[in-house]
Amino acid sequence: MEFFSFFVNLNLNNKIKNAKNKYMKILKGGKVMKVNECMCNDVCCVKPEDNVENVAKVMCNNHIGCVPVCDSNNCICGILTDRDIILRAIACDKDVKSTKVSDIMSTNVCTCKQDEEVSNVETKMANNQIRRLPVCNEKNQVIGILNKCNLANHVNQKWKNVVSTTISNIFVCNGQTKNAV
């Protein structure tokens, strides 16, 4: 029974992926949407030597949940999220005034390029379970950031019915609607 279930799930995942790719092409009039069409260009970056308190204030003042950490050449060397601050600094009783960003940042940063296809980047985000992705140029310098909200906000309202129909079609099997749970 598990063997059959595996193929049903595999088939469903392929249907979802194909529908998403088809939708992205419809949205762009047959063209594939690129990251630079929906990324945020206004990015706040911090330095590894900045203290956690100041970075938390930057994040609060700019209403953002993460900041790329860049060296003096604006090349990405890490990323810091609000969750990192809570779990790696506050919960560990570290002094946020003296703790450096480099002490608590994530260094294995997943990035993308501005000319990548959005559908590929969405897959990368899903596979790595991340919601925010720094966009870097060929020199590994941060030029933007892409998050799930950017992707959702970019969807034009007139395509709402296309998405709804596509999702409905995904869960129809032999004329019967299947429970998606």
Side-chain angles (χ1 to χ4, degrees):
M1 191 66 171
E2 287 182 31
F3 183 73
F4 176 73
S5 174
F6 168 78
F7 282 105
V8 169
N9 287 335
L10 183 65
N11 188 34
L12 180 60
N13 287 338
N14 286 337
K15 283 184 179 182
I16 292 170
K17 187 176 180 180
N18 291 338
K20 180 180 75 172
N21 289 339
K22 180 180 176 184
Y23 170 70
M24 296 307 271
K25 287 182 180 178
I26 290 171
L27 182 64
K28 291 299 298 167
K31 297 178 186 173
V32 177
M33 189 184 329
K34 302 288 185 175
V35 168
N36 64 349
E37 297 175 61
C38 56
M39 71 182 197
C40 174
N41 295 310
D42 187 19
V43 183
C44 295
C45 295
V46 298
K47 303 289 181 212
E49 62 273 7
D50 290 343
N51 73 45
V52 173
E53 180 185 42
N54 289 341
V55 172
K57 288 178 182 178
V58 167
M59 293 168 76
C60 179
N61 292 337
N62 289 283
H63 309 285
I64 53 177
C66 82
V67 288
V69 183
C70 300
D71 63 18
S72 58
N73 295 321
N74 201 34
C75 293
I76 193 158
C77 58
I79 194 161
L80 186 68
T81 67
D82 46 8
R83 189 169 193 267
D84 293 333
I85 293 171
I86 292 169
L87 297 179
R88 297 178 185 167
I90 296 170
C92 296
D93 292 324
K94 292 186 178 181
D95 179 12
V96 293
K97 292 181 181 184
S98 62
T99 302
K100 293 181 180 180
V101 168
S102 60
D103 296 337
I104 65 168
M105 71 183 188
S106 298
T107 55
N108 189 13
V109 184
C110 188
T111 64
C112 66
K113 304 293 183 204
Q114 66 181 353
D115 59 347
E116 282 188 64
E117 293 181 15
V118 168
S119 58
N120 294 339
V121 173
E122 283 180 322
T123 301
K124 185 187 293 189
M125 292 170 83
N127 290 343
N128 291 287
Q129 296 184 342
I130 52 178
R131 291 177 275 173
R132 306 164 185 113
L133 200 60
V135 182
C136 297
N137 64 16
E138 62 282 345
K139 295 178 183 175
N140 209 30
Q141 296 171 320
V142 176
I143 57 171
I145 197 156
L146 182 69
N147 62 44
K148 293 287 186 180
C149 291
N150 296 131
L151 297 172
N153 289 336
H154 190 55
V155 176
N156 194 326
Q157 197 65 17
K158 75 178 188 174
W159 295 106
K160 187 176 174 182
N161 290 336
V162 173
V163 174
S164 178
T165 302
T166 301
I167 291 171
S168 296
N169 289 339
I170 289 169
F171 294 106
V172 173
C173 182
N174 296 328
Q176 294 184 345
T177 303
K178 299 290 182 180
N179 189 343
V181 178

